[in-house]
Amino acid sequence: MRAPTDLDTLTDFFDRYGVALTTGDVPAIAGCYALPGMVVADTYSFSFTSPAAVALSFVGAAPDYQERELVAAHATIEDVLPVSALLTMVAVEWEFLDSRGRAVPGERYRYLLRSTDDGPLICTVLRTA
C-alpha cells in the first residue's frame, strides 16, 4: 500500500465526497474519514473519534447546502504532496453548482489523506485562504 497520489484515485475520492456533501448523505461523509480525525479553521478546531461524531459535525452543513440550492460539487485538485509512505496532503478548491445550473464559488482546503485497503480517507481538513 502506498500514499494516495494517483490523480484518478484522488479525483474519484473527492467526487464521492462531493456527492455525499451536496446530497446530505451524512453516513457517506463519515465513511470518508479516518478516525480519529480533525477539522481546523482560523477560528475553531474540532476532532472526532467515531463515525457518529463525524456525522454529527456535518449535520449542520446539510441545511446550508439545501438553502443555497447546491446540487453538485466539483473538487479541483491543485496540489498533491506525498508526506510519508501512507499519507498525502492534497490542496483542493471546491466549486459548486446550484439548482439553476450556475457555478457557485467554493472554498479551498488542504486534506491530509491516509491510504487504506479501501482507498484514501481524510485524517485532517484544513481550511485555507
Side-chain angles (χ1 to χ4, degrees), residues 1-5 85-88 113-121 123:
M1 192 173 355
R2 295 182 36 208
T5 57
L86 297 177
L87 298 174
T88 303
L113 302 179
R114 176 179 295 128
S115 182
T116 72
D117 289 337
D118 297 324
L121 294 175
C123 296

Side-chain angles (χ1 to χ4, degrees), residues 15-32:
D15 285 349
R16 190 167 30 94
Y17 185 59
V19 167
L21 290 171
T22 56
T23 61
D25 187 345
V26 176
I29 293 169
C32 291

